[in-house]
Amino acid sequence: MPAQNYVSTMGSEKMSVVFSIPHQPSALVKALTPFQHNSINLTHIESRPLAEDENKYKFLCNLEICNEDDEQRLKKAISELKEISGRDCVKVLSRRDVDKKDSESEEVPWFPIKISELDRFASQILSYGSELDADHPGFTDEVYRKRRKMFADIAYNYKHGEPIPQVEYNEAELATWRTVFTKLSTLFETHACKEFRKVWPLLVQNCNYNKDNIPQLQQVSQFLKDCTGFTLRPVAGLLSSRDFLAGLAFRVFHSTQYIRHGANPFYTPEPDVCHELIGHVPLFCDPEFAAFSQEIGLASLGAPDEWIEKLATLYWFTIEFGVCREEGALKAYGAGCISSIEELENCVSDTSKKLPFECENIVSTKYPITTIQPVYFVAPSFSEAKRKIREFSSQIPRTFTVHYNPYTQSVQLINKRANCVKMIRDLANDMKTLEDAVNKLED
């Protein structure tokens, strides 16, 4: 799960400049001249044809800003670049929030465009997996701390496209998994939603889910991909809310690989492999829930910090602690509920408070992180929750809309008429295919 407070990057700041230019000789040299004249060092440059105009190319340039002098030189370079490419053809992406007082600002919080750019988050974790607080059950256990560091190092060094390294869990870790798995399995039939109950046997069959085995992330990730296109990516510790939600936009779930300390198998102060594999994975196999989760992620891209906090709260009360009605009965679909015996029993009981699923009320609700939830927001269905979140997210002050392209695993900015026209044409082709299918069924 994400940490709840977004923390800005300290020290040097990574930024990106996206611009388009005509496809003609020396055009790129001319466009890069402002960076050279103002001593701006570009760390990466890539190009691709502009989808909405075959006579133009789009360029993405990555750079780092280390001090105020760098920032002033960059502003001058951007101004000169706009004279070359046109004001509407240049966009600056930054990890800082938009300054709303500056109406001329073209800057939006940086967000990944390609799935491979999620690699950047590995070095931006808020706490490393081996860094334990004094009240953590494993704080004084040197063996446990060394294991945590091993898992964290695997995640820290992982790159997109690589297979997730397999790990051999020791007897103490397997004993903890066995205790949690055995007890939780007795509650799923009566407490978990039907979508979870449908997928659970498939995980047992295809991913070796059982009390004596902790499934490997790579095997589970491949099964997830076959089901809904979601994949797992190992993470070394807590991410900021912004970074964690950005992963969901690409149907990527950042998953821990370590397990809670065996001294208290029914409690964990942070997400662990029991929470991820038992709580999150089953619902990510469901197409409707997968789309619902991605919706929150897409809404977060380029959003101001205050909206990231709102979206993280929506995530908390849905994907983590969501409750829905099923033939009149309350059922859990949130991972925080399903992976905790006490939480699972509490969320469907008459003793906990239940409120209707209304985004405006949800985002203003405070909640405890280390204790049982006192209130749950009940959604009639995933599709209804997704519809309300989409409507709520339309209020985010962005000058663009984002669209995920599953073929290229990249995000497209829909901020021009040409982008919209292309999407309409693509949709028309899909509708034609659907029309042909319906006609054949009628015949």
Side-chain angles (χ1 to χ4, degrees), residues 10-31:
M10 302 301 292
S12 64
E13 180 183 2
K14 296 179 180 179
M15 304 178 73
S16 299
V17 179
V18 181
F19 61 91
S20 57
I21 55 176
H23 181 38
Q24 58 188 35
S26 302
L28 178 59
V29 174
K30 185 177 180 182

Side-chain angles (χ1 to χ4, degrees), residues 111-116 118 160 225 228-231 246-252 290-291 294-295 297-299 301 390 398 401-414 422-423 426 430:
F111 59 87
I113 297 295
K114 301 186 301 181
I115 193 171
S116 60
L118 297 180
H160 169 71
K225 187 175 183 180
T228 61
F230 251 92
T231 57
L248 296 180
F250 293 84
R251 297 206 172 203
V252 171
Q294 186 180 30
E295 195 75 29
L298 289 170
L301 300 181
R390 179 184 284 265
R398 297 188 300 192
T401 299
V402 293
H403 171 70
Y404 179 67
N405 186 328
Y407 304 111
T408 60
Q409 294 186 299
S410 63
V411 169
Q412 298 171 334
L413 272 63
I414 311 300
K422 183 179 183 302
M423 281 194 67
D426 292 342
D430 291 339

Side-chain angles (χ1 to χ4, degrees), residues 126-189:
L126 303 183
S127 64
Y128 207 64
S130 58
E131 299 170 356
L132 307 181
D133 293 333
D135 59 349
H136 192 286
F139 181 73
T140 60
D141 188 334
E142 286 301 320
V143 174
Y144 181 77
R145 292 173 69 96
K146 287 180 180 179
R147 293 287 291 176
R148 287 287 295 262
K149 185 178 186 305
M150 181 201 76
F151 287 118
D153 288 345
I154 289 173
Y156 187 84
N157 294 306
Y158 175 81
K159 300 298 182 186
H160 169 71
E162 299 175 348
I164 303 173
Q166 291 202 358
V167 296
E168 184 175 344
Y169 291 95
N170 61 34
E171 287 303 318
E173 292 162 342
L174 288 170
T176 300
W177 169 269
R178 186 178 300 114
T179 300
V180 175
F181 186 96
T182 301
K183 181 62 177 177
L184 281 173
S185 296
T186 64
L187 299 175
F188 294 154
E189 189 62 33

